[in-house]
Amino acid sequence: MTKKSKIIMWIVIGVVAVALIGILLSDAFGAEEILFSELLTLLKKGEVEKLYVDGYNWQATLVDGTMVTVEGGPSIYDYMSFSMFMNDVGLSVDKLSAIDIQFADPNAGSIWSSLMPLLGIILVAVVFWLIMRSAAGAGNANMNIGKSKAQVQSNLKVRFSDVAGAEEEKEELAEVVEFLKNPKKFSNLGARIPSGVLLVGPPGTGKTLFAKAVAGEAGVPFFSVSGSDFVEMYVGVGAKRVRDLFDMAKKNQPCIIFVDEIDAVGRRRGAGLGGGHDEREQTLNQILVQMDGFEANDGIIVMAATNREDILDPALLRPGRFDRRINVNLPDVKGREQILKVHARNKPMAADVNFKTVARITAGFSGAELANLLNEAAILAARANKKLIGNLELYDGINKVLMGPQKKSRVVTESDKRCTAYHEAGHAVLACLCKHCDPVHEVSIIPRGRAAGYTMTRPETDDNDVSYNKLIDNICMSLGGRVAEELVIQDVTTGASADLQHVSELARRMVTQWGMSDKLGLVAYDSDQPVFMGMEYGNQSRGGYSQETAATIDSEIRRLIQEAHERAVKLLKENRAVLDNMSRVLVEKETIYTEEVAMLMKGADYKEVIAFMDEKEDVHKTNPFVNMTKPSKEHIVSDETESEEKSEEKTEE
Ligand code: ADP
Ligand code: MG
Ligand code: ZN
């Protein structure tokens, strides 16, 4: 502690002490509160020694020495005189004269009452100033810079070691760090330094984290804005903000400017449907102008993040602007394991937790989702009053991140339950019967998130290649729910809407993208790119094919689904007994796993399976990862209910 801050500390202690003494000395402190009617009773009884009145404030000292303040008294100014008031309340003058009455605050003359407000103000000011100072000292004062809306952080504590499992990206960014640490070294050799680095990747992959880590490693200030901050109602504000931001940055070189979600301003110009020169465009132009204005040895690096590179204006990607592009991808198995370890650093984990296993079964999870999963697990462990986070919590955490929390409290009628059970059993039975489907891992009719139930399968290997046969089987299995409803309930519900969407999407891509239809041949009719407003607007046929081709595409999609549907009906009819048994077990037990599914497929009776489950009941609880490989996002048939979507819409209204 410096000498100066020590002095300040003593001043603060002094001021607080003085203020406390002042409060203690003031009569109001510690006084008992009574009602006005009680005061009148006391007055009549002659138990009041002194009375102070100031406006609405009534205070009294009783004969026995206690002090009271009065609540709900009228204003004395409502009466012409005090004695008139006393008459009003029925007290005689002689009783009055026995009381020492003062018309004003009893403390009015005391030095404390005049000093108190002043001391209060000083106290508040000092405390405020101290907070500001210590925050600035810690280096994380998030202050608004001028009107730029940017946040500045210096001395960021984030390091590359906090970003796990992205070695290639780290290597590329290490260069940027090097440059920020010593810009002269590069410019003396005539090296052109990248002025812009674009981080491209899906949400939650650590783009923001990376940008911060670069600033942290280089020890430079970090100016951050979000693209959407620039999008304002008033034309010109965004451009001005950009100017302010860059001016500010220039005064603080070397530094990093980070523009998150740059797609909000960096969209292709001229793509908007209405009017060319909108606010967004001016803002984008201003960013380009500023970046072009960098001198070779300016120590400013602009980093930007986006998950929609396809809609960015090509001008942003030209040399001298965002000419360095770094893809930040979803982590692979090893990456996931490392991310889990990073986030488990400050969490007590049970000894039998194996991050390799958890990493293996969380294919498709982003870094943010993995962090979230550990957090959910920690919350679950805390709720169960456990000291350590175990496998069970991790398993539930995965399911929660994948599909939202279980909704055990949702009211499900018996007939709904039976319907969902048949639906899920339909998926599960077909998944077992279709040779190319992955093995079933978990079937449940417990509602989760927006799903009424789900069937989870797990591939046996790590490869992600999909073959024609696998896709066809997947379509067949996805139709299983609907088909089971057709066969058993002899009516269909809206529960299959998500399945039908999934099936149509798969079939469409098989035909138009993957060349899997003989009639259409090996031609890609559609790219994966989402249609962007305006860009292709007006082109009559988007993919550049004729009306006839469009009709053929439609009929091919229809044929694929039709064939799969027929196969599903046939298979489920042949295995009706298994379907019935499985749905009865589901109604009874709500969730079944690999073993039970295998038993049922071999023809076990539902009673047998239920008895088996009753016996082993807790095996799953102790080690849920037993026999498990990798259920991934793509392998869950989660059944969203139509009715719930509607009720959600209602709440939004
Ligand atoms: P993005 O900006 O790409 O959407 P963020 O950087 O905001 O993602 O990541 C959100 C959170 O996810 C981070 O704060 C961090 O906790 C976690 N995270 C994401 N990727 C990683 C990673 N590679 N290593 C460690 N944590 C990560
Ligand atoms: Mg981000
Ligand atoms: Zn379904």
Side-chain angles (χ1 to χ4, degrees):
M1 212 181 248
T2 63
K3 203 175 165 191
K4 207 171 139 197
S5 61
K6 237 179 205 165
I7 294 171
I8 291 161
M9 203 184 75
W10 281 114
I11 292 177
V12 172
I13 291 174
V15 171
V16 171
V18 164
L20 272 179
I21 293 167
I23 291 168
L24 283 173
L25 285 182
S26 89
D27 289 340
F29 188 81
E32 203 181 315
E33 265 191 6
I34 60 169
L35 291 173
F36 188 67
S37 56
E38 292 176 76
L39 175 73
L40 292 182
T41 322
L42 289 170
L43 278 168
K44 280 178 194 161
K45 282 192 200 152
E47 283 175 16
V48 178
E49 194 175 280
K50 286 183 187 168
L51 186 62
Y52 318 108
V53 195
D54 181 15
Y56 288 95
N57 295 325
W58 298 68
Q59 286 179 32
T61 307
L62 305 187
V63 181
D64 61 10
T66 52
M67 271 183 286
V68 292
T69 57
V70 181
E71 215 181 316
S75 168
I76 191 63
Y77 303 119
D78 288 349
Y79 294 94
M80 299 299 283
S81 69
F82 193 73
S83 55
M84 191 174 146
F85 156 71
M86 284 308 188
N87 276 338
D88 246 23
V89 294
L91 277 175
S92 56
V93 180
D94 60 312
K95 273 211 171 142
L96 267 184
S97 57
I99 304 171
D100 174 8
I101 298 171
Q102 289 178 13
F103 287 84
D105 191 315
N107 295 321
S110 101
I111 185 161
W112 290 117
S113 60
S114 49
L115 271 183
M116 279 292 286
L118 196 66
L119 283 176
I121 290 168
I122 293 172
L123 186 71
V124 169
V126 168
V127 167
F128 188 71
W129 181 73
L130 274 182
I131 289 171
M132 290 297 291
R133 231 183 63 101
S134 71
N140 271 330
N142 288 353
M143 35 185 172
N144 268 332
I145 305 161
K147 289 165 212 84
S148 78
K149 247 196 179 182
Q151 307 247 300
V152 64
Q153 290 168 291
S154 40
N155 299 333
L156 273 173
K157 299 277 185 300
V158 186
R159 294 290 180 274
F160 277 156
S161 58
D162 295 312
V163 192
E167 297 309 320
E168 290 90 353
E169 290 89 335
K170 267 186 224 173
E171 252 164 54
E172 288 195 60
L173 287 169
E175 212 173 288
V176 177
V177 173
E178 188 69 17
F179 165 67
L180 284 167
K181 273 187 177 160
N182 196 352
K184 284 260 150 45
K185 186 170 114 189
F186 288 80
S187 55
N188 286 347
L189 288 168
R192 198 173 60 79
I193 302 306
S195 46
V197 178
L198 186 64
L199 299 167
V200 185
T205 45
K207 299 183 292 297
T208 310
L209 193 65
F210 252 129
K212 283 188 178 163
V214 169
E217 288 279 342
V220 300
F222 181 74
F223 292 84
S224 64
V225 281
S226 169
S228 50
D229 289 347
F230 291 127
V231 184
E232 285 279 330
M233 292 281 281
Y234 305 105
V235 177
V237 174
K240 176 154 191 333
R241 286 206 175 131
V242 173
R243 267 198 309 278
D244 288 346
L245 172 63
F246 278 79
D247 284 349
M248 198 66 201
K250 274 179 195 149
K251 285 180 202 137
N252 287 285
Q253 308 178 17
C255 69
I256 285 182
I257 297 179
F258 177 62
V259 187
D260 212 348
E261 301 164 39
I262 197 171
D263 36 296
V265 281
R267 272 193 220 155
R268 246 167 249 257
R269 283 169 294 184
L273 283 177
H277 281 280
D278 64 352
E279 163 68 358
R280 209 167 40 70
E281 224 162 85
Q282 285 192 18
T283 308
L284 174 57
N285 284 339
Q286 188 58 236
I287 293 179
L288 296 179
V289 166
Q290 292 288 344
M291 287 185 76
D292 287 343
F294 282 167
E295 302 286 327
N297 57 353
D298 270 354
I300 304 179
I301 287 191
V302 186
M303 296 184 81
T306 181
N307 46 23
R308 295 292 311 275
E309 201 205 5
D310 52 319
I311 64 166
L312 285 187
D313 194 306
L316 271 173
L317 307 175
R318 237 171 261 155
R321 293 167 183 170
F322 291 100
D323 44 8
R324 197 63 68 96
R325 234 195 67 171
I326 295 177
N327 282 321
V328 187
N329 293 318
L330 288 174
D332 58 6
V333 181
K334 223 173 113 220
R336 290 196 297 273
E337 189 184 337
Q338 281 158 354
I339 294 174
L340 284 166
K341 280 181 179 158
V342 163
H343 286 278
R345 278 193 299 217
N346 52 4
K347 295 189 176 69
M349 309 297 300
D352 62 343
V353 167
N354 184 349
F355 285 126
K356 262 206 173 66
T357 316
V358 182
R360 211 146 40 84
I361 61 169
T362 45
F365 273 57
S366 69
E369 282 168 322
L370 290 169
N372 189 12
L373 135 67
L374 278 175
N375 190 46
E376 292 293 350
I379 291 171
L380 288 170
R383 262 203 228 143
N385 291 322
K386 291 189 184 174
K387 291 255 163 15
L388 300 170
I389 302 168
N391 279 317
L392 182 64
E393 286 80 32
L394 287 171
Y395 184 88
D396 285 346
I398 293 171
N399 278 356
K400 201 164 169 187
V401 171
L402 276 176
M403 288 169 292
Q406 286 195 353
K407 295 203 173 150
K408 284 194 173 151
S409 60
R410 190 195 285 174
V411 184
V412 184
T413 63
E414 275 309 305
S415 79
D416 275 353
K417 217 169 157 179
R418 182 166 167 266
C419 193
T420 309
Y422 265 107
H423 182 110
E424 297 307 331
H427 285 309
V429 170
L430 283 184
C432 295
L433 292 174
C434 294
K435 211 169 78 205
H436 299 275
C437 278
D438 299 314
V440 176
H441 171 254
E442 185 175 328
V443 189
S444 176
I445 60 165
I446 297 176
R448 245 179 203 286
R450 291 172 54 173
Y454 56 88
T455 300
M456 208 189 275
T457 60
R458 55 175 168 91
E460 269 156 344
T461 56
D462 226 51
D463 70 70
N464 285 318
D465 281 346
V466 274
S467 62
Y468 174 83
N469 282 325
K470 202 163 179 178
L471 289 167
I472 288 290
D473 279 2
N474 191 326
I475 292 180
C476 182
M477 173 229 183
S478 300
L479 288 170
R482 166 70 173 249
V483 171
E485 288 178 26
E486 283 169 24
L487 290 180
V488 181
I489 324 266
Q490 274 155 24
D491 190 3
V492 289
T493 68
T494 53
S497 68
D499 293 339
L500 294 184
Q501 242 169 27
H502 172 73
V503 163
S504 321
E505 177 63 16
L506 264 191
R508 192 186 64 75
R509 294 178 73 180
M510 284 176 74
V511 173
T512 61
Q513 284 174 28
W514 299 325
M516 288 177 175
S517 146
D518 291 338
K519 263 198 193 150
L520 287 156
L522 302 173
V523 181
Y525 291 93
D526 255 331
S527 65
D528 230 347
Q529 298 213 340
V531 192
F532 176 55
M533 279 268 280
M535 232 167 80
E536 297 164 42
Y537 196 79
N539 290 13
Q540 276 228 320
S541 51
R542 260 204 316 123
Y545 47 79
S546 66
Q547 294 288 330
E548 292 89 82
T549 312
T552 316
I553 289 175
D554 276 348
S555 78
E556 280 296 280
I557 294 174
R558 220 174 283 273
R559 181 182 60 83
L560 280 178
I561 298 177
Q562 192 82 40
E563 284 173 9
H565 185 259
E566 276 159 24
R567 188 152 67 101
V569 173
K570 182 167 168 285
L571 284 172
L572 282 187
K573 270 187 180 158
E574 286 167 7
N575 292 276
R576 178 63 196 262
V578 179
L579 187 68
D580 288 336
N581 277 319
M582 191 181 289
S583 60
R584 292 193 78 151
V585 178
L586 277 173
V587 168
E588 185 79 15
K589 291 286 175 189
E590 296 192 326
T591 306
I592 60 175
Y593 301 90
T594 320
E595 269 182 295
E596 291 82 49
V597 174
M599 281 176 81
L600 287 158
M601 290 309 293
K602 279 192 200 121
D605 185 64
Y606 72 94
K607 284 184 199 136
E608 200 182 318
V609 178
I610 290 172
F612 168 76
M613 287 185 83
D614 283 339
E615 226 160 78
K616 71 156 206 176
E617 201 71 273
D618 281 320
V619 173
H620 181 77
K621 287 226 162 68
T622 49
N623 190 0
F625 293 120
V626 77
N627 287 332
M628 183 165 174
T629 45
K630 189 187 108 178
S632 67
K633 283 181 184 169
E634 308 88 71
H635 295 89
I636 297 163
V637 179
S638 125
D639 288 297
E640 291 174 10
T641 44
E642 193 81 356
S643 53
E644 206 197 336
E645 272 172 44
K646 278 194 190 123
S647 70
E648 274 183 15
E649 271 164 29
K650 249 179 219 153
T651 53
E652 273 168 22
E653 271 167 15

